[in-house]
Amino acid sequence: MSGMSAGRSAMRMGPAELVQAAAMARRFYLEGKSKIQIAEEFGVSRFKVARVLETALERDLVRIEIRVPAELDAERSDALRARYGLRHAVVVESPAEAEETPDPENLGEVAADLLGELVNEGDVLGLAWGRSTIHMAAALDKLPPCTVVQLTGVYDAGTAERGSVEAVRRAAQVSGGDAHPIYAPMLLPDAATAAALRHQTGIARAFEYFDKVTVACVSIGSWEPGISTVHDMLSDEERSHYASLGVAAEMSAHLFDADGRRVGRDLGERCITVKADQLRRIPEVVAIAGGQRKAAAIDAVLRSGLVTSLVTDTSAADYLMTVGPTPRPALNRADPDGP
């Protein structure tokens, strides 16, 4: 009998203990005081404070809830970040009817909020062409003062006002910084024309900022019609040629096979775009891409080591969590093609 009473007594907290535990928990969880400060206030050791706080959790005196907006999937985000060794991964819950849609517009909205966290005053923000980056720029409502530079030419110079050029202007307007747009197509007929354009004053000035970019925002395309800007700009013969090289993904006019190795490097000579080596040196490269149709392409680009952070959706994330062997950490940004 005495043993049972002793056991029940050990499990039960008396009123004084309950009041003290509640007070310590309030100091720690609500007022932000340290365990040392609480120990000094109550005249006990910090180890006693730690035990009391632990008991308060066990006895349900304190309940801790981790809540994120319903559209964000925290569990998938953390798992995806760990699998690819990313600095940040944000997975957005997409409506079922939008699963087949590449880059739902809400990805851009979430990416805009992420950039608001990542960009610091004095940074140089680089924006590559892409529907997702255009959606992101349209959703921007806050940025610290920074310089904004365009990292690629545009898909169609005739749409510049509602495309990459406008995205750069919009970001610079929000930040109050300088804008350096590129008024030129992304893909030119030949290398000589591309080289001549790179030396034009406005374009050359933008190129001078490429090595100064601290945060970049890029899109990813899979090698199929309507999902890759570069694919859509090429002739049928050229598409077949690059397909024969095993291209699985495209980012900023750079082509990648399924293992993240760059292929078809000759294409870059005809393009107005940031170099892959320059992207690799940028401290933070955020890719915005989602949808089942882009999932394999996202995996390929992440394996290249050029991207440090990703904003995607649940349908793509589910594929990325199960495909192929575990990739090397993205933050180990060595070129998979070797030196």
Side-chain angles (χ1 to χ4, degrees), residues 85-126:
L86 297 166
R87 187 171 289 119
H88 303 284
V90 182
V91 178
V92 178
E93 191 75 43
S94 294
E97 61 270 18
E99 286 186 355
E100 293 299 323
T101 303
D103 303 337
E105 289 193 25
N106 61 339
L107 293 186
E109 296 168 2
V110 173
D113 289 340
L114 179 61
L115 279 190
E117 293 182 61
L118 299 180
V119 176
N120 296 306
E121 183 173 352
D123 276 348
V124 177
L125 172 62

